[in-house]
Amino acid sequence: MVFDAIADNSLVGGTDRKDPQLLNAWLPSGPALLFCPADRPERYQKALDRADVVILDLEDAVSPDNRAAAREALVANPIDPDRTIVRINPAGTGDYRRDLAAVAETNYRVVMQAKSEDVASILDTALQTIALIETPLGATRANEIAATSNCIGLMWGAEDLVAGLGGSSSRFGPDESRSGEYRDVASWVRSMVRIAAAAHGKFAIDSVHLDIDDVDGLIAEVRDAVALGYTATACIHPSQVEHIRAGYRPSDEAVEWARRVLEGAAEHNGGVFSLDGQMIDGPVLRQAEVVLSRVASGESTEDS
């Protein structure tokens, strides 16, 4: 059970917080998370070979008639549990209970709960859980969901969110001035999810870019996600993986800058100093540390 490994205190982002946190919680091994339908077991390993993490999907990618077969395939075709997430159906459904029963027969330890809306449903999984915020009610509760002890991260979804609003599109259309960009409500939920995750020391996963041919749009969204501190971006097609990895990989110039910042901080015993005319203080130092952490994450992915 996850609750055997909870700490009362956690130092996250330089702030002493009292939120319960899992010790040694799972983290994505890289920034590119690829969805794979759970009823297509012949694709499991191929997806894992292409991406950093595979999300075996028992929800939207599988028709209701195929979900029983998908659960059987999940149990019968194991892949690396350290690089696998299982997306389960929303709490309160029969599929949800059957999904959890199937996961219990595997070595998988991380689930993504679709349409997460309350703390009780996260606790109920008794597993390390990524809460997928994709409904209006879930969006209003993102902060309290992120604080849940066995919630290890948040992801958000635009299409179910807009459907729940009675809307028709999460993005501006080709005849509108901001064509291809998220509409304001979707952008607001994206921001709230990132803030809630950071407030409670949890990682955040950016939503999928559904237009596979829109490479420029994907690259722009990944660049923005990195700037906002997202840990990873989910995707629906293997061709998107390298664009995501490239976006999260710091440039040589950024790495050199970050190393100089850390060297300067060591020389000045953590005090404020100037580097190339820029004042370096605590927030800038943490930004440099994030840059180098992304380098370390990329090297780990290449070795796997």
Side-chain angles (χ1 to χ4, degrees):
M1 299 284 285
V2 295
F3 310 108
D4 294 335
I6 295 177
D8 291 330
N9 297 285
S10 175
L11 193 65
V12 180
T15 301
D16 185 16
R17 59 175 71 260
K18 302 300 182 182
D19 301 330
Q21 305 283 332
L22 287 176
L23 294 175
N24 302 315
W26 181 89
L27 285 170
S29 57
L33 282 56
L34 179 61
F35 276 97
C36 178
D39 61 348
R40 300 298 300 272
E42 73 279 4
R43 296 184 182 179
Y44 289 8
Q45 190 60 50
K46 293 177 182 178
L48 195 59
D49 290 342
R50 293 292 299 273
D52 301 314
V53 174
V54 64
I55 305 171
L56 299 181
D57 192 3
L58 290 168
E59 196 221 7
D60 281 348
V62 180
S63 69
D65 289 344
N66 284 349
R67 285 180 183 155
R71 285 186 282 267
E72 293 175 2
L74 183 82
V75 174
N77 298 272
I79 53 176
D80 184 356
D82 290 333
R83 295 174 55 208
T84 303
I85 300 165
V86 180
R87 178 160 75 166
I88 59 176
N89 280 277
T93 65
D95 279 317
Y96 165 77
R97 286 295 173 197
R98 289 185 282 271
D99 291 349
L100 285 178
V103 172
E105 296 185 48
T106 73
N107 289 325
Y108 302 131
R109 57 196 176 97
V110 179
V111 295
M112 176 182 289
Q113 186 182 96
K115 300 177 179 63
S116 297
E117 293 189 328
D118 58 67
V119 169
S121 66
I122 302 297
L123 291 170
D124 184 65
T125 69
L127 292 165
Q128 297 190 59
T129 302
I130 300 166
L132 181 48
I133 306 298
E134 54 181 345
T135 68
L137 182 57
T140 65
R141 294 175 173 174
N143 186 62
E144 56 196 88
I145 289 171
T148 311
S149 57
N150 62 313
C151 175
I152 58 172
L154 299 182
M155 180 177 159
W156 77 286
E159 304 315 314
D160 280 299
L161 172 70
V162 170
L165 295 171
S168 59
S169 176
S170 66
R171 296 179 184 269
F172 291 101
D175 57 342
E176 297 179 274
S177 60
R178 293 162 55 190
S179 176
E181 295 182 20
Y182 282 120
R183 295 183 182 276
D184 292 346
V185 170
S187 294
W188 178 79
V189 172
R190 182 179 187 241
S191 299
M192 286 299 298
V193 163
R194 179 68 198 100
I195 291 169
H200 297 283
K202 312 298 173 72
F203 63 80
I205 302 168
D206 202 15
S207 189
V208 299
H209 194 84
L210 291 177
D211 187 346
I212 297 171
D213 294 329
D214 181 22
V215 174
D216 290 342
L218 171 64
I219 290 172
E221 279 181 21
V222 169
R223 184 181 298 118
D224 188 59
V226 172
L228 294 176
Y230 271 91
T231 297
T233 293
C235 58
I236 58 171
H237 193 274
S239 65
Q240 297 175 312
V241 168
E242 285 309 316
H243 298 297
I244 293 171
R245 284 175 171 167
Y248 279 85
R249 187 182 304 122
S251 67
D252 292 342
E253 294 79 9
V255 172
E256 176 61 23
W257 169 82
R259 286 175 175 158
R260 292 176 63 206
V261 168
L262 265 61
E263 290 168 359
E267 292 175 5
H268 292 82
N269 296 317
V272 176
F273 65 99
S274 177
L275 178 67
D276 298 336
Q278 178 186 15
M279 186 187 76
I280 307 298
D281 56 6
V284 179
L285 177 60
R286 286 194 290 275
Q287 291 171 18
E289 291 170 341
V290 167
V291 169
L292 295 182
S293 73
R294 293 194 189 282
V295 173
S297 175
E299 290 174 347
S300 174
T301 301
E302 291 172 2
D303 292 341
S304 63

